[in-house]
Amino acid sequence: MTEPFMLDLHTYLERLGYSSAPPPTLDALRELQERHTAEFPFETLASMLRVPVEVEPAAIQDKLLRQRRGGYCFELNRLYLLLLQALGFDARGLTGRVVMGGPEDALPARTHMLVLVTIAGVRYITDVGFGGMVPTGPLLLDSEAEQTTPHEPYRLTLVDGTYTLRALVAGGWRAMYVFDLQKVADIDYVVGNWYVCTHPESPFLGQMIAARTGPGLRKTLNNGSFAIHRLGQASERVQLQGVDEVLRVLREEFGIQVPEHPERREIIERLIAGA
């Protein structure tokens, strides 16, 4: 019989810089989302190493809070949802289709998880697991106006029951993902995650991707290319030259303790050469 999951709320809040639990308010939600994207990095090292990703809450908690790792949406947003619910927020999970970098009207698989929060009857989406373009503040769902965050502005549009999230990047509105409000069951996360970490066409399989936010900046790693994007400034990019340099950047810039694996160096070397 499986032991019931217990969220380690004390350690989770401590990692986010809290000495006591914040109240379930909009101001607290804003602060939680900004702190979470800065503390827990987005990373695909498990799928880079072709190690199956577990999305049971106990496994995610162990990875994020004990192993000093990050994860992707089905890990970051799933534990974040449990945190919000433990703090008293009216919150539930949603799934979406990533269209960033492709046509907006495409219908790829539901490979993204985000969270819907209702505060005093007003609905917001909050997301801590969308890689290098993760929103760093909650967004009012029922508005098509431009909305500010600690980083880029975002906006939502609604057509025939489907919402599209766009970010203002380099002077243009770029679509990130589309989603709806249909009820989601735990098995939906399991199925979506299974595709992301095992399907040959998954964009994460065999790839080294990491992202983390900071005050006025974003850090990204795509295989051997490390970049720092500062608001209103040109991006700084550097091509990393060796495995040890990659491991240092992952550790020092992203706060990731890279897992041991017998083919780790060989895989990273191949990705650097390919970049």
Side-chain angles (χ1 to χ4, degrees):
M1 185 175 176
T2 304
E3 290 289 319
F5 173 70
M6 292 291 292
L7 183 68
D8 186 350
L9 186 60
H10 175 77
T11 300
Y12 204 165
L13 290 174
E14 193 174 58
R15 284 285 301 275
L16 292 170
Y18 292 96
S19 57
S20 60
T25 63
L26 180 57
D27 284 345
L29 183 64
R30 288 193 179 105
E31 192 171 70
L32 280 163
Q33 186 168 346
E34 185 175 10
R35 290 188 186 194
H36 206 289
T37 59
E39 175 63 23
F40 294 101
F42 179 95
E43 52 109 328
T44 66
L45 299 185
S47 47
M48 175 191 81
L49 299 169
R50 298 180 184 270
V51 174
V53 174
E54 296 182 66
V55 289
E56 289 305 312
I60 303 170
Q61 176 164 269
D62 183 65
K63 185 178 180 185
L64 268 59
L65 302 187
R66 317 265 186 260
Q67 297 179 31
R68 307 294 295 193
R69 294 280 305 281
Y72 53 49
C73 67
F74 290 114
E75 301 168 281
L76 295 169
N77 277 327
R78 195 161 193 208
L79 205 65
Y80 177 60
L81 170 59
L82 293 172
L83 171 65
L84 295 179
Q85 291 171 336
L87 293 174
F89 285 95
D90 177 358
R92 68 179 177 93
L94 302 175
T95 58
R97 307 176 192 274
V98 177
V99 295
M100 184 173 64
E104 286 189 28
D105 59 354
L107 281 176
R110 291 179 178 267
T111 58
H112 186 57
M113 177 188 176
L114 62 152
V115 178
L116 176 70
V117 175
T118 303
I119 301 173
V122 181
R123 300 184 297 181
Y124 302 86
I125 60 164
T126 182
D127 186 345
V128 297
F130 193 63
M133 282 305 300
V134 63
T136 50
L139 301 170
L140 192 61
L141 180 70
D142 299 302
S143 170
E144 297 200 353
E146 178 179 324
Q147 302 187 52
T148 59
T149 73
H151 292 77
E152 294 81 5
Y154 290 78
R155 60 189 290 256
L156 287 159
T157 54
L158 174 63
V159 178
D160 295 332
T162 296
Y163 295 86
T164 301
L165 175 69
R166 294 182 177 84
L168 186 60
V169 181
W173 288 101
R174 297 187 190 175
M176 303 285 109
Y177 55 79
V178 301
F179 64 96
D180 56 33
L181 305 183
Q182 76 173 42
K183 186 175 181 180
V184 178
D186 285 351
I187 190 63
D188 296 317
Y189 306 136
V190 173
V191 171
N193 174 68
W194 183 253
Y195 177 93
V196 169
C197 73
T198 65
H199 197 279
E201 294 181 11
S202 167
F204 294 162
L205 195 64
Q207 300 297 311
M208 178 170 52
I209 303 169
R212 191 179 187 184
T213 67
L217 61 82
R218 295 179 183 273
K219 299 176 184 178
T220 60
L221 177 67
N222 194 329
N223 293 333
S225 178
F226 172 57
I228 299 178
H229 313 276
R230 290 187 169 84
L231 293 180
Q233 300 180 36
S235 297
E236 304 167 24
R237 297 182 185 275
V238 60
Q239 187 65 38
L240 304 180
Q241 297 302 315
V243 175
D244 290 334
E245 191 175 4
V246 168
L247 295 176
R248 181 192 63 79
V249 166
L250 286 167
R251 183 176 61 251
E252 296 179 5
E253 301 288 350
F254 295 93
I256 298 169
Q257 184 63 46
V258 183
E260 295 293 338
H261 188 278
E263 298 176 39
R264 184 177 75 174
R265 296 191 72 88
E266 177 187 337
I267 290 170
I268 293 175
E269 282 174 356
R270 188 167 64 245
L271 291 172
I272 294 172

